[in-house]
């Protein structure tokens, strides 16, 4: 079986976003494991309107061309690492909108999270875990939480790799993501084989 393909989804599109720093760090760390194919998926490259279709794409194919492009791209992956700040205790609107703009393409794939903020993005991540369940994803238990003091030092140039507790959390999270990505990729593959034979 080929390596699972993992997308690191940049959950903020604003010009001054912090998201780029944890994105580059976790993408490199994930790739260095050697068991995952890693690609950064930047929502800036998919300028989706606020959801404006007649129904979820679970029921009615989307008309919007960017939405179609987004769904096709999401379908390429076997798992996801969502990078999220916290906006009034939730994820960014742009990330939630991007989740809403696909459905089957998320199904039966694991979701992992890197958060930052006052409580390390924990409240945004918990909301995203609920969204992931509705999207029939498997959210992994371990997550990376970058709290304010660490966030401030990282903003001033301290490398994330210099924080052993963050690196340890990332190791746990990537291990769980890899296990689920491989298990679910194999299961989706055998579902497809059974369907083809029927
Ligand atoms: C409108 C707004 C609301 C925010 N609410 C929270 C919050 O509830 N909790 C928190 O920890 N940080 C909050 N923040 C701080 C953001 O998490 C922080 O600016 C973060 O860097 C945003 O992610 P980004 O830079 O990748 O866009 C808020 C920022 C904005 C602009």
């Amino acid at each position: 079986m080929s390596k699972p393909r993992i997308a690191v989804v940049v959950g903020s599109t604003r010009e001054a976003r912090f998201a780029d720093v944890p994105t580059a760090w976790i993408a490199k760390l994930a790739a260095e494991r050697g068991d995952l194919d890693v690609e950064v998926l930047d929502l800036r490259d998919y300028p989706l309107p606020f959801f404006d279709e007649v129904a979820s794409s679970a029921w009615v194919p989307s008309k919007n061309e960017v939405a179609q492009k987004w769904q096709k791209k999401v379908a390429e992956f076997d798992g996801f690492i969502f990078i999220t700040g916290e906006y009034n205790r939730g994820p960014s609107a742009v990330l939630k909108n991007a989740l809403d703009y696909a459905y089957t393409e998320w199904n039966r794939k694991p979701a992992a999270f890197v958060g930052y903020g006052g409580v390390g993005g924990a409240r945004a991540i918990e909301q995203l875990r609920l969204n992931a369940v509705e999207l029939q994803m498997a959210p992994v238990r371990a997550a990376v939480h970058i709290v304010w003091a660490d966030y401030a030092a990282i903003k001033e140039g301290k490398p994330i790799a210099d924080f052993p507790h963050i690196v340890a959390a990332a190791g746990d999270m990537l291990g769980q993501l890899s296990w689920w990505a491989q298990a679910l990729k194999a299961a989706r593959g055998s579902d497809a084989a059974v369907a083809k034979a029927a």
Side-chain angles (χ1 to χ4, degrees):
M1 190 174 65
S2 58
K3 291 184 203 177
R5 293 197 64 200
I6 302 296
V8 180
V9 181
V10 191
S12 171
T13 51
R14 72 186 181 98
E15 201 179 329
R17 69 187 180 191
F18 175 71
D20 291 315
V21 182
T23 296
W25 165 73
I26 200 70
K28 184 165 176 280
L29 207 61
E32 281 170 0
R33 290 172 53 92
D35 61 345
L36 303 171
D37 259 343
V38 182
E39 183 177 329
V40 171
L41 196 45
D42 193 337
L43 297 182
R44 280 182 187 160
D45 297 329
Y46 297 85
L48 295 158
F50 278 122
F51 193 88
D52 191 21
E53 298 287 336
V54 293
S56 158
S57 61
W59 310 111
V60 180
S62 300
K63 288 214 164 99
N64 182 278
E65 282 183 13
V66 183
Q68 291 170 7
K69 191 177 143 200
W70 171 243
Q71 290 159 10
K72 233 174 127 187
K73 189 68 188 168
V74 171
E76 289 178 14
F77 296 97
D78 302 302
F80 303 87
I81 302 172
F82 295 98
I83 309 295
T84 182
E86 208 168 89
Y87 286 81
N88 295 315
R89 301 196 176 191
S92 68
V94 79
L95 176 54
K96 176 60 166 55
N97 193 50
L99 288 172
D100 294 341
Y101 256 117
Y103 186 75
T104 52
E105 299 82 4
W106 301 117
N107 292 178
R108 298 172 181 174
K109 298 176 184 177
F113 305 92
V114 174
Y116 41 90
V119 290
R123 295 167 297 211
I125 289 175
E126 287 305 299
Q127 290 192 22
L128 287 166
R129 284 199 168 104
L130 289 176
N131 301 148
V133 169
E134 181 57 23
L135 293 168
Q136 299 191 45
M137 302 180 86
V140 304
R141 176 181 180 271
V144 173
H145 298 283
I146 301 173
V147 297
W148 275 139
D150 297 346
Y151 172 102
I154 293 161
K155 264 196 146 176
E156 279 171 20
K158 185 167 171 175
I160 302 181
D162 287 2
F163 294 85
H165 60 285
I166 299 179
V167 174
D172 287 347
M173 183 193 81
L174 291 171
Q176 293 174 14
L177 176 70
S178 175
W179 192 94
W180 280 102
Q182 292 184 49
L184 294 178
K185 182 175 157 78
R188 291 195 312 278
S190 70
D191 278 357
V194 168
K196 206 172 161 195

